[in-house]
Each structure stands twice: as structure tokens, then as C-alpha cells.
Amino acid sequence: MNKLKTVLVLCTGNSCRSQMGEAILNHDLAGLVRGISAGTRPQAKVADGAIEALKLAGLPTEGLYPKDVAALTDEPIDLVVSVCDNAKETCPVFPGAVRCIHLPFHDPHGEPLESFVAVRDDIRARLVPAVRQALGL
């Protein structure tokens, strides 16, 4: 039986793009990866638009909350995916040879729900294949 690969989706605030990435990976690659997300400067809560966009796609939102990446440095991580330029620049160093890839997505904060839905669809279209390729799945 193969061990699940842990994928950290990293953003600045961990309130939108990284949260959607976590939910999408845990749904679309269930049984292959364990998606987690964190931020370099986490916000107080997950953006309402991100939660609504996930729900509209039938994706679970329970248990999503902003987390500080500093709390995960001892976590065994197989792949780090930065989804914003700031997180790419400030990503901490993880123990071992952790592979990192950068896959930036538009930040829909302050925009209508349609923007969150478009970003959700972009994350699903690009993140899932990128993780599959990076981990050889």
C-alpha cells in the first residue's frame, strides 16, 4: 500500500487560493495525496468567496482555516506549491530535500463571486496536473 504524499499549498494569507487548492487536491487526488495549506502571514479567516466557490463545485469546506506555515516546518512534506509570488519569496526551508514548484494564481479578494469561481476553476485545471507530474502520479 502506497503512503499518501503530502502536498503543502502555500500562499501569503492562506485565506483563498491555497485553501481552494487544499480542498481541490484532497478531493481530486483522494487516496494519492494529502493536501494541506498554510500562509506566510495567515489572515483571520477563509474568504467567504472561496468557501462559496468551493461549495458551488460540491467540494467540502469543513475544517478549512488559515494556518501559519511556521507551524508546519516539522511536518513531513513531499511537495510545496507556492500559489502567489510573495509566498514563493518568503517560503521557509523545510527539512530534507522538499521539492518546491511555483504556480501563481490571480487573487480574487474584493472581487465578485464570479472571480472566485474562475480562480477555483483555474486552480483545478492547473494545480492537479502539476502535482501529478511533480510527484509522478
Side-chain angles (χ1 to χ4, degrees), residues 33-77:
V33 305
R34 174 179 150 250
I36 57 175
S37 67
T40 57
R41 291 192 314 268
Q43 297 297 305
K45 68 181 203 101
V46 178
D48 293 337
I51 295 293
E52 187 61 27
L54 290 168
K55 286 181 176 179
L56 286 172
L59 295 165
T61 60
E62 301 82 37
L64 294 180
Y65 67 96
K67 298 165 282 302
D68 192 321
V69 69
L72 299 175
T73 53
D74 291 333
E75 183 88 19
I77 294 172

Coordinates of all heavy atoms in Angstrom, one line a residue, residues 33-77:
V33 N -2.8 11.8 -2.5 CA -2.2 12.9 -1.8 C -3.0 13.4 -0.6 O -4.2 13.2 -0.6 CB -1.8 14.1 -2.7 CG1 -1.0 13.8 -3.9 CG2 -3.1 14.9 -3.1
R34 N -2.3 14.0 0.3 CA -3.0 14.7 1.4 C -2.6 16.1 1.2 O -1.4 16.5 1.4 CB -2.4 14.2 2.7 CG -2.9 14.9 4.0 CD -2.3 14.3 5.2 NE -2.2 15.3 6.2 CZ -1.0 15.8 6.7 NH1 0.1 15.3 6.2 NH2 -1.0 16.7 7.6
G35 N -3.6 16.9 0.9 CA -3.3 18.4 0.7 C -3.5 19.1 2.0 O -4.4 18.9 2.7
I36 N -2.5 20.0 2.3 CA -2.7 20.9 3.4 C -2.3 22.3 2.9 O -1.7 22.4 1.8 CB -1.7 20.5 4.6 CG1 -0.3 20.4 4.1 CG2 -2.2 19.2 5.2 CD1 0.7 20.1 5.3
S37 N -2.7 23.3 3.6 CA -2.4 24.7 3.1 C -1.9 25.5 4.3 O -2.2 25.2 5.5 CB -3.6 25.4 2.4 OG -4.6 25.6 3.4
A38 N -1.2 26.6 4.0 CA -0.7 27.5 5.0 C -0.3 28.8 4.4 O -0.3 28.9 3.2 CB 0.5 26.9 5.8
G39 N -0.1 29.8 5.3 CA 0.3 31.1 4.8 C 1.5 31.6 5.5 O 1.8 31.2 6.6
T40 N 2.2 32.5 4.8 CA 3.4 33.2 5.4 C 2.9 34.3 6.4 O 3.6 34.6 7.4 CB 4.3 33.8 4.4 OG1 3.6 34.7 3.6 CG2 4.9 32.6 3.5
R41 N 1.7 34.8 6.2 CA 1.1 35.8 7.1 C -0.4 35.5 7.1 O -1.2 36.2 6.4 CB 1.3 37.2 6.6 CG 2.8 37.6 6.8 CD 3.0 39.1 6.6 NE 2.3 39.7 5.5 CZ 2.9 39.9 4.3 NH1 4.1 39.5 4.1 NH2 2.2 40.4 3.3
P42 N -0.9 34.4 7.8 CA -2.3 34.0 7.7 C -3.3 35.1 8.1 O -3.0 35.8 9.1 CB -2.3 32.7 8.5 CG -1.1 32.7 9.3 CD -0.1 33.6 8.7
Q43 N -4.4 35.1 7.4 CA -5.5 36.0 7.8 C -6.3 35.4 8.9 O -6.1 34.3 9.3 CB -6.3 36.2 6.5 CG -5.6 36.9 5.4 CD -5.1 38.3 5.8 OE1 -5.9 39.2 6.2 NE2 -3.9 38.6 5.6
A44 N -7.3 36.1 9.4 CA -8.1 35.7 10.5 C -9.1 34.6 10.1 O -9.4 33.7 10.9 CB -8.9 36.8 11.0
K45 N -9.5 34.6 8.8 CA -10.5 33.5 8.4 C -10.4 33.3 6.9 O -9.8 34.1 6.1 CB -11.9 33.9 8.7 CG -12.5 35.1 8.0 CD -13.9 35.5 8.4 CE -14.6 36.2 7.4 NZ -15.6 35.5 6.6
V46 N -11.0 32.2 6.4 CA -11.0 31.9 5.0 C -12.0 32.9 4.3 O -13.1 33.1 4.9 CB -11.4 30.4 4.7 CG1 -11.5 30.1 3.3 CG2 -10.4 29.5 5.4
A47 N -11.7 33.4 3.2 CA -12.6 34.3 2.5 C -13.9 33.7 2.1 O -14.0 32.5 1.7 CB -11.9 34.8 1.2
D48 N -15.0 34.4 2.4 CA -16.3 33.9 2.1 C -16.5 33.5 0.6 O -17.1 32.5 0.3 CB -17.4 35.0 2.4 CG -17.4 35.3 3.9 OD1 -17.0 34.5 4.7 OD2 -17.9 36.4 4.2
G49 N -15.9 34.3 -0.3 CA -16.0 33.9 -1.7 C -15.3 32.6 -2.0 O -15.8 31.8 -2.9
A50 N -14.2 32.3 -1.3 CA -13.5 31.0 -1.5 C -14.4 29.8 -1.1 O -14.5 28.8 -1.7 CB -12.2 31.0 -0.8
I51 N -15.0 30.0 0.1 CA -15.9 29.0 0.7 C -17.1 28.8 -0.3 O -17.4 27.6 -0.6 CB -16.4 29.4 2.1 CG1 -15.2 29.4 3.1 CG2 -17.5 28.4 2.5 CD1 -14.6 28.1 3.4
E52 N -17.7 29.9 -0.7 CA -18.8 29.7 -1.6 C -18.5 29.1 -2.9 O -19.2 28.2 -3.5 CB -19.5 31.1 -1.8 CG -20.8 31.1 -2.6 CD -21.9 30.3 -1.9 OE1 -21.9 30.2 -0.7 OE2 -22.7 29.8 -2.6
A53 N -17.3 29.5 -3.5 CA -16.9 28.9 -4.8 C -16.7 27.4 -4.6 O -17.0 26.6 -5.5 CB -15.6 29.6 -5.3
L54 N -16.1 27.0 -3.5 CA -15.9 25.5 -3.3 C -17.2 24.8 -3.1 O -17.4 23.7 -3.7 CB -15.0 25.3 -2.0 CG -13.6 25.7 -2.2 CD1 -12.9 25.7 -0.8 CD2 -12.8 24.8 -3.1
K55 N -18.1 25.4 -2.4 CA -19.4 24.8 -2.2 C -20.2 24.6 -3.5 O -20.9 23.6 -3.8 CB -20.3 25.6 -1.2 CG -19.8 25.4 0.2 CD -20.7 26.2 1.2 CE -20.3 25.9 2.6 NZ -21.1 26.7 3.6
L56 N -20.1 25.7 -4.4 CA -20.8 25.6 -5.7 C -20.3 24.5 -6.5 O -21.0 24.0 -7.4 CB -20.6 26.9 -6.4 CG -21.4 28.1 -5.9 CD1 -21.0 29.4 -6.6 CD2 -22.9 27.9 -6.1
A57 N -19.0 24.0 -6.3 CA -18.4 22.9 -7.1 C -18.7 21.6 -6.3 O -18.2 20.5 -6.8 CB -16.9 23.1 -7.3
G58 N -19.4 21.6 -5.2 CA -19.6 20.4 -4.5 C -18.4 19.9 -3.7 O -18.3 18.7 -3.3
L59 N -17.5 20.8 -3.4 CA -16.3 20.4 -2.7 C -16.5 20.7 -1.2 O -17.1 21.7 -0.8 CB -15.1 21.2 -3.2 CG -14.7 20.9 -4.6 CD1 -13.8 22.0 -5.2 CD2 -14.1 19.5 -4.7
P60 N -15.9 19.9 -0.3 CA -16.1 20.1 1.1 C -15.3 21.3 1.6 O -14.2 21.5 1.2 CB -15.6 18.8 1.7 CG -14.7 18.1 0.7 CD -15.2 18.6 -0.6
T61 N -15.9 22.0 2.6 CA -15.2 23.1 3.2 C -15.0 23.0 4.7 O -14.4 23.9 5.3 CB -16.0 24.4 2.9 OG1 -17.3 24.3 3.5 CG2 -16.1 24.7 1.4
E62 N -15.5 21.9 5.3 CA -15.3 21.7 6.7 C -13.8 21.6 7.1 O -13.1 21.0 6.4 CB -16.0 20.4 7.2 CG -17.5 20.4 6.9 CD -17.8 19.9 5.5 OE1 -17.1 19.1 4.9 OE2 -18.7 20.5 4.9
G63 N -13.5 22.2 8.1 CA -12.1 22.1 8.6 C -11.1 23.1 8.0 O -9.9 23.0 8.3
L64 N -11.6 23.9 7.0 CA -10.7 24.9 6.4 C -10.5 26.1 7.3 O -11.5 26.7 7.7 CB -11.2 25.3 5.0 CG -11.3 24.2 4.0 CD1 -11.8 24.8 2.7 CD2 -9.9 23.6 3.7
Y65 N -9.3 26.4 7.6 CA -9.0 27.6 8.4 C -7.6 28.0 8.1 O -6.7 27.2 7.8 CB -9.2 27.3 9.9 CG -8.2 26.3 10.5 CD1 -7.0 26.8 11.1 CD2 -8.4 25.0 10.4 CE1 -6.1 25.9 11.6 CE2 -7.5 24.1 10.9 CZ -6.3 24.5 11.5 OH -5.4 23.6 12.0
P66 N -7.2 29.3 8.2 CA -5.9 29.8 8.0 C -4.9 29.2 9.0 O -5.1 29.2 10.2 CB -6.0 31.3 8.1 CG -7.4 31.6 7.8 CD -8.2 30.4 8.4
K67 N -3.7 28.8 8.5 CA -2.7 28.2 9.3 C -1.4 28.9 8.9 O -1.1 29.3 7.8 CB -2.5 26.7 9.0 CG -3.8 25.9 9.3 CD -3.8 24.5 8.7 CE -4.2 24.4 7.3 NZ -5.4 25.0 6.8
D68 N -0.5 29.0 9.9 CA 0.8 29.6 9.7 C 1.8 28.6 9.3 O 1.9 27.5 9.9 CB 1.3 30.3 11.1 CG 2.5 31.2 10.9 OD1 3.4 30.8 10.1 OD2 2.5 32.2 11.5
V69 N 2.5 28.8 8.2 CA 3.5 27.9 7.7 C 4.6 27.5 8.7 O 5.1 26.4 8.7 CB 4.1 28.3 6.3 CG1 5.0 29.5 6.6 CG2 4.8 27.2 5.6
A70 N 4.9 28.4 9.6 CA 5.9 28.2 10.6 C 5.5 27.0 11.5 O 6.4 26.3 12.0 CB 6.1 29.4 11.5
A71 N 4.3 26.7 11.6 CA 3.8 25.6 12.5 C 4.0 24.2 11.7 O 3.8 23.2 12.3 CB 2.4 25.8 12.9
L72 N 4.3 24.3 10.4 CA 4.4 23.1 9.7 C 5.8 22.7 9.3 O 6.0 21.7 8.6 CB 3.6 23.2 8.4 CG 2.1 23.5 8.5 CD1 1.5 23.7 7.2 CD2 1.4 22.3 9.2
T73 N 6.8 23.4 9.8 CA 8.2 23.1 9.3 C 8.7 21.7 9.8 O 9.6 21.2 9.2 CB 9.2 24.2 9.8 OG1 9.0 24.3 11.2 CG2 8.9 25.5 9.1
D74 N 8.1 21.1 10.8 CA 8.4 19.7 11.2 C 7.6 18.7 10.5 O 7.8 17.5 10.7 CB 8.4 19.6 12.7 CG 9.5 20.4 13.4 OD1 10.5 20.6 12.8 OD2 9.3 20.8 14.5
E75 N 6.6 19.1 9.8 CA 5.7 18.2 9.1 C 6.4 17.5 7.9 O 7.1 18.2 7.2 CB 4.5 19.0 8.6 CG 3.4 18.2 7.9 CD 2.4 17.7 8.9 OE1 2.2 18.2 10.0 OE2 1.7 16.7 8.5
P76 N 6.2 16.2 7.7 CA 6.9 15.6 6.6 C 6.1 16.0 5.3 O 5.0 15.6 5.1 CB 6.8 14.1 6.8 CG 5.6 14.0 7.8 CD 5.6 15.2 8.6
I77 N 6.7 16.8 4.4 CA 6.1 17.3 3.2 C 6.9 16.8 2.0 O 8.1 16.8 2.0 CB 6.1 18.8 3.3 CG1 5.1 19.3 4.4 CG2 5.6 19.4 2.0 CD1 5.1 20.7 4.7

